[in-house]
Amino acid sequence: MHIRICLYMLSVWFALSVTAQTADSIKVVELQDIVINDSPAKPAVLNSPLQVELIGKEFLQRHFSGNLMQTLEHIPGVRSMDIGSGFSKPMIRGMGFNRITVTENGIKQEGQQWGADHGLEIDAFNAERIIVRKGPSSLLYGSDAMGGVIEILPLPAPVGNQVFGEVLLLGKSVNGNLGISIMGGIKQNNWYFKIRFSEQHYGDYRIPTDTVVYLTQRLPVHNRRLKNTAGYERNISFFTEYRRRQYSSNYTVSNAYQKNGFFPGAHGVPDAATIEDDGNHRNIELPYSQVNHFKIMTHQQYMWENVIASLDIGFQNNRRQEWSLFHTHYGTQEPPTKDPDKELGFYLNTYSAAAKMKWHASGKWEHSAGWDTQYQQNRIDGYSFLLPEYRRFTTGVMWLTMFRATPNLCVSGGARFDYGKVTIESYQDIHLQNWLQQMGVQADMI
């Protein structure tokens, strides 16, 4: 009985103490009402039946990794296909390679993107604004965009005349990556200039294993570092823009250079002696690749009251070389007299042009029309053969109409016609022919 009375008195005392403390120490603060006027759906998403992601500079800097595709991995449905640090390709909902289109300032990025070890030669520091279109976009961008589109766009010019610049630093521990990017620009009346230089150096890649298996052969990995996977990249770009009333134009000149080593145990003929640790984690020996991507682009635009017309013209020169100590499957093949260790060489020139017009007929109707064309020429050299020389021409026209029935409902439909022609040059391997003859294959079967 006494225990119950004591517990009851303690409970009353505790409640009174809390009430007194609350009344004395906690102040009641009333905040003004906050009204949210924006819609939870992005305007750009409502303008398209496909899912569209708008990526700003703040997002890119917050998730920056020194590699553009690895940065975009933070977007749902977007993945990066990586081989080491220097090779990275985009994937959207499981589709990649030539099924994904990457554009920069309106021009399709064209290189040797058919291989898994062929990275995207674009300066990650120079990407300021990105639009990711998930799903089939062939109506607007052609058959290469059946898996989606990644559009890289420049930021609008700053307001008012000013001189500006920035310095970005990057460091990684897994491969000792060190990077720097320096940008400077000026805005003067109708003109806007910007120049950027970026460079990254990285060492041999660390992995959590002591051995790898290649062609059923187990190869050691000394100090858990993949030998000769070091590399570096050096990029420079110049951008200028002119605006006057309804007319605007910009011009871009850029050059991207990459040199990356290949793990010797997985290239050419595996040899345990070539993968022994040499004590230097930043040198680049055979085998390695060199890639240089040069671009010139211009975007012209004119705006009327309810019509926007634009023209994009670009030229790209993509040079890719793979160097490896001369090796052959045929005993009769001799090393070339010039560049005997150049295994493969691809030299691709691309000329592009596209014209588009968008017409806002009313508050609910919007029409788009476009025409684009492209011409490519690919040349090869080296002591090995992988792809033939070819010439490729494509052109297409499109029409798209969108009707916004309600603020949350958009219906679109359109049509596209494409024409393409590929001319492939024949290639004759005289060393394979001699080897087949030695094996007893008849001449008419070769």
Side-chain angles (χ1 to χ4, degrees):
M1 183 66 179
H2 294 287
I3 296 176
R4 291 182 181 179
I5 294 174
C6 292
L7 290 176
Y8 176 77
M9 294 179 63
L10 287 174
S11 301
V12 171
W13 175 81
F14 179 78
L16 293 175
S17 300
V18 172
T19 304
Q21 183 180 4
T22 303
D24 296 337
S25 61
I26 299 179
K27 295 181 179 180
V28 178
V29 179
E30 293 185 1
L31 300 177
Q32 296 180 353
D33 295 339
I34 299 176
V35 180
I36 300 176
N37 298 318
D38 198 3
S39 169
K42 296 181 179 180
V45 176
L46 298 179
N47 294 342
S48 173
L50 297 177
Q51 186 175 356
V52 179
E53 295 283 350
L54 306 178
I55 310 302
K57 190 172 183 178
E58 181 182 352
F59 176 93
L60 296 173
Q61 290 183 345
R62 184 170 64 252
H63 301 286
F64 188 74
S65 63
N67 186 295
L68 180 59
M69 293 303 105
Q70 293 177 358
T71 302
L72 296 182
E73 272 195 322
H74 295 275
I75 302 173
V78 180
R79 290 293 178 266
S80 176
M81 185 189 306
D82 303 325
I83 299 182
S85 180
F87 306 115
S88 182
K89 302 176 68 66
M91 294 188 67
I92 299 178
R93 293 175 175 173
M95 303 190 75
F97 297 94
N98 289 349
R99 297 177 179 88
I100 299 296
T101 293
V102 179
T103 68
E104 185 177 16
N105 297 350
I107 297 297
K108 292 182 181 180
Q109 177 81 0
E110 291 289 351
Q112 306 292 343
Q113 61 259 40
W114 41 265
D117 59 339
H118 299 172
L120 193 63
E121 297 103 23
I122 291 181
D123 185 6
F125 291 97
N126 202 37
E128 299 174 327
R129 187 166 53 126
I130 296 178
I131 298 177
V132 179
R133 301 180 183 272
K134 304 176 184 178
S137 303
S138 300
L139 181 63
L140 297 175
Y141 298 90
S143 59
D144 292 345
M146 62 184 303
V149 180
I150 297 176
E151 300 181 54
I152 303 174
L153 303 172
L155 284 176
V159 179
N161 297 337
Q162 57 181 285
V163 177
F164 55 92
E166 71 176 11
V167 177
L168 301 175
L169 301 176
L170 174 69
K172 294 182 180 181
S173 60
V174 68
N175 58 351
N177 190 338
L178 298 174
I180 184 172
S181 179
I182 303 174
M183 184 271 286
I186 181 173
K187 170 65 166 53
Q188 183 67 31
N189 299 329
N190 298 328
W191 287 96
Y192 169 46
F193 302 91
K194 183 177 65 175
I195 187 170
R196 180 184 292 274
F197 174 80
S198 306
E199 186 162 345
Q200 294 189 59
H201 290 257
Y202 44 89
D204 295 339
Y205 216 77
R206 290 188 177 95
I207 59 174
T209 183
D210 296 321
T211 59
V212 295
V213 178
Y214 177 72
L215 297 178
T216 69
Q217 182 177 356
R218 186 173 294 276
L219 302 175
V221 179
H222 301 280
N223 299 323
R224 294 193 171 186
R225 282 182 178 266
L226 287 174
K227 181 183 177 183
N228 201 45
T229 55
Y232 68 92
E233 61 178 81
R234 184 176 295 127
N235 309 297
I236 186 170
S237 63
F238 173 79
F239 175 84
T240 181
E241 183 180 71
Y242 174 80
R243 287 183 176 271
R244 183 177 176 84
R245 297 174 182 172
Q246 293 88 0
Y247 172 74
S248 66
S249 65
N250 63 56
Y251 305 86
T252 305
V253 180
S254 65
N255 191 83
Y257 176 81
Q258 298 176 355
K259 183 176 181 180
N260 303 276
F262 290 129
F263 180 55
H267 195 278
V269 180
D271 185 0
T274 61
I275 60 177
E276 292 183 357
D277 188 11
D278 57 2
N280 190 342
H281 300 309
R282 290 190 173 270
N283 61 332
I284 304 175
E285 301 177 341
L286 294 174
Y288 64 85
S289 70
Q290 283 180 310
V291 182
N292 194 87
H293 198 110
F294 175 76
K295 289 188 294 188
I296 301 178
M297 302 174 291
T298 179
H299 175 77
Q300 309 289 324
Q301 181 175 291
Y302 193 87
M303 300 176 61
W304 287 276
E305 183 177 354
N306 57 352
V307 177
I308 302 176
S310 63
L311 175 66
D312 297 292
I313 301 175
F315 166 75
Q316 302 176 66
N317 175 260
N318 182 263
R319 298 172 57 88
R320 177 180 179 87
Q321 296 176 343
E322 296 186 6
W323 297 77
S324 179
L325 188 65
F326 176 80
H327 58 276
T328 177
H329 297 285
Y330 320 116
T332 58
Q333 184 176 358
E334 297 292 334
T337 56
K338 181 181 179 181
D339 296 332
D341 296 327
K342 184 192 293 185
E343 183 176 3
L344 295 170
F346 306 101
Y347 313 97
L348 180 65
N349 289 327
T350 304
Y351 305 85
S352 306
K356 298 179 182 179
M357 184 181 68
K358 182 177 291 186
W359 174 35
H360 296 271
S362 64
K364 293 187 176 182
W365 289 94
E366 179 182 305
H367 308 284
S368 300
W371 163 81
D372 59 78
T373 186
Q374 186 183 85
Y375 175 77
Q376 291 183 321
Q377 183 179 19
N378 187 60
R379 298 181 295 107
I380 64 172
D381 63 4
Y383 64 82
S384 292
F385 172 77
L386 186 60
L387 282 182
E389 295 184 347
Y390 66 86
R391 297 186 304 276
R392 178 175 177 261
F393 171 78
T394 59
T395 187
V397 293
M398 56 76 61
W399 176 272
L400 175 66
T401 295
M402 289 193 296
F403 174 70
R404 297 182 183 89
T406 67
N408 296 321
L409 176 62
C410 178
V411 181
S412 67
R416 182 181 179 94
F417 175 80
D418 285 290
Y419 171 80
K421 181 180 180 181
V422 180
T423 303
I424 301 176
E425 302 293 337
S426 61
Y427 179 83
Q428 185 177 6
D429 191 336
I430 187 65
H431 307 289
L432 175 60
Q433 181 179 353
N434 294 336
W435 182 81
L436 291 175
Q437 290 179 350
Q438 294 177 2
M439 296 298 294
V441 180
Q442 298 180 1
D444 57 349
M445 299 294 293
I446 300 177

